[in-house]
Amino acid sequence: MSQTTAGAASVVADNPAHPATAGGPTVGSSAADRAVKRQRVLEILDSSGSDSLLLTSNTALTWYLDGSRVHISLAGDPIAALLVDRAGDHLVTFNNEAARIAAEELPDGVALHSVPWYGNLREAAAGLGDGAPLTESAVVDELRAARQQLLPGEGARYARLCAEVAEMMTDVLSTATPATTEFEVMSRLSARVVAAGAEPLVLLCNGSSRSEFRHPLATHSPLGRRAMAVVCARRNGLIANITRWVRFDASTPQELDAEARIAAVEADIFDATVPGARLDRIFTEIKSAYARHGFGPDQWELHHQGGPAGYAGRDPRVTASATDQVVLNQPFTWNPSGPGVKIEDTVQLTEAGVQVLSVDPRWPVSTVNGLARPVTLQL
């Protein structure tokens, strides 16, 4: 095993064809998509006058590697660092991870290097190039712009994941009862997410006794007459976000009115999500929409409003300081909410307008501004 700079040992050079387990994350990785991503990074290097870029975050690594799993603990740092230079791509991982990375995660054309499990990934990767590389922190905006527009391969993978997560919600919530506990709902959803080869990043549930909480971590409380479930699931690096409601007795006029009004807020956000729109100006429209539909001028302050989606839960969350411009084929998850109501789906902006990705035709819907939107499932 030959030695390279910074103590990184070369494991795989110009990665030959490697076996990918059926349904594994490398299945469906697109060489064409990866070529576009590499070109986008090279353009970042050109504009900055640099020769290399060091990628170290889970968001950047999974995007650039087209969905490779570069984590062990969901709460931990990536177990890899990647140097992109004008000659090629160099991934550094720990010696106890290298064989699995080579066999199951590494795209073609990426050289793999290893350091001891106690080594420093960033130093080793940076040392593979000439001179100090750019760091992610120096080009945050440029990298986010590079991953805004979903390419064909990743767009297809994302749509499949979102549809599967919507189906999970239908299956699990349609079999719930008022006596089902929040933890039982979450355990059933978690099992389905993992069985689909995805990772449950966020699981939330509140029954009727806890409906005032916007981020309700599950408890042993029974669902009661009405409940909300939220899932954020990641596969191939892409994160699907969805919220659904279920009710076990007759709805009240107040509930139906609030549900219709929050869907109207979302419809106004969709109308503002057009190519070229700036996120801070969409944020201004969001605040106006709450007031316009009877939630008062300050409701937006009680929960974040969502934003672009994809390789991060929100990329970024929309605020008054977010000035990114919307582009075609960009995914979004907006999530307006009010007292006892919330609506959330993962969508993509296409030439035909907003396309909902997290959709299951079995779930009840109403038409809002020409778009089918989920309503509470009445059991």
Side-chain angles (χ1 to χ4, degrees):
M1 187 176 292
S2 61
Q3 293 296 312
T4 62
T5 57
S10 179
V11 176
V12 177
D14 222 12
N15 178 40
H18 57 274
T21 56
T26 55
V27 174
S29 178
S30 166
D33 283 5
R34 286 212 63 251
V36 173
K37 294 175 183 182
R38 177 167 169 78
Q39 181 58 40
R40 290 177 181 174
V41 171
L42 291 177
E43 290 170 0
I44 293 173
L45 295 181
D46 290 342
S47 64
S48 65
S50 301
D51 291 322
S52 62
L53 172 64
L54 183 63
L55 302 180
T56 55
S57 71
N58 189 82
T59 297
L61 288 165
T62 54
W63 166 72
Y64 190 75
L65 296 172
D66 218 25
S68 296
R69 294 176 295 182
V70 291
H71 70 278
I72 297 300
S73 168
L74 291 176
D77 293 331
I79 46 82
L82 180 76
L83 186 76
V84 181
D85 63 20
R86 298 183 186 281
D89 300 328
H90 297 270
L91 187 71
V92 178
T93 189
F94 297 117
N95 62 326
N96 57 317
E97 307 292 350
R100 181 187 63 83
I101 292 287
E104 299 177 346
E105 307 292 343
L106 196 70
D108 291 338
V110 178
L112 182 64
H113 311 264
S114 72
V115 296
W117 60 266
Y118 51 83
N120 188 303
L121 294 172
R122 297 187 183 198
E123 288 181 2
L128 292 171
D130 296 325
L134 276 176
T135 61
E136 283 189 46
S137 61
V139 287
V140 169
D141 294 342
E142 292 86 347
L143 281 172
R144 193 166 62 238
R147 60 180 179 262
Q148 276 183 301
Q149 186 178 60
L150 291 181
L151 296 167
E154 61 190 349
R157 291 195 299 273
Y158 202 20
R160 285 195 297 271
L161 171 63
C162 291
E164 289 176 35
V165 172
E167 292 169 1
M168 297 172 197
M169 280 289 209
T170 303
D171 291 342
V172 170
L173 292 182
S174 64
T175 60
T177 71
T180 303
T181 69
E182 295 165 352
F183 272 133
E184 287 173 333
V185 171
M186 292 296 91
S187 65
R188 294 169 190 172
L189 285 169
S190 179
R192 288 290 300 272
V193 169
V194 174
E199 298 137 7
L201 300 186
V202 177
L203 294 172
L204 304 174
C205 184
N206 61 14
S208 54
S209 67
R210 304 175 64 241
S211 61
E212 73 273 21
F213 301 130
R214 304 292 174 103
H215 279 162
L217 295 176
T219 71
H220 290 290
S221 298
L223 300 184
R225 60 174 296 272
R226 184 170 178 262
M228 177 187 77
V230 178
V231 172
C232 302
R234 181 176 66 191
R235 191 172 68 196
N236 305 115
L238 293 157
I239 302 169
N241 311 289
I242 184 173
T243 294
R244 291 291 185 266
W245 291 82
V246 62
R247 185 163 42 225
F248 302 101
D249 65 5
S251 58
T252 68
Q254 293 80 9
E255 287 170 348
L256 293 176
D257 175 66
E259 290 168 11
R261 287 187 291 114
I262 204 65
V265 172
E266 183 197 52
D268 288 353
I269 302 172
F270 285 159
D271 284 346
T273 307
V274 296
R278 273 185 17 180
L279 293 184
D280 56 343
R281 293 171 183 168
I282 296 176
F283 186 57
T284 298
E285 175 60 26
I286 290 172
K287 291 188 285 186
S288 298
Y290 277 105
R292 188 161 50 246
H293 296 292
F295 287 101
D298 301 324
Q299 191 61 226
W300 63 271
E301 296 195 50
L302 302 180
H303 191 279
H304 80 83
Q305 301 303 306
Y311 290 91
R314 302 297 187 274
D315 199 16
R317 286 184 180 180
V318 66
T319 65
S321 60
T323 58
D324 303 41
Q325 286 194 330
V326 173
V327 299
L328 274 177
N329 295 323
Q330 186 174 10
F332 293 86
T333 301
W334 302 110
N335 47 259
S337 64
V341 290
K342 179 187 177 188
I343 189 166
E344 178 181 26
D345 270 309
T346 305
V347 306
Q348 186 173 8
L349 180 62
T350 70
E351 290 184 353
V354 169
Q355 176 187 358
V356 182
L357 303 181
S358 50
V359 62
D360 179 359
R362 298 173 297 166
W363 193 272
V365 298
S366 65
T367 300
V368 183
N369 281 11
L371 196 65
R373 303 304 299 124
V375 298
T376 299
L377 176 64
Q378 188 84 46
L379 295 179

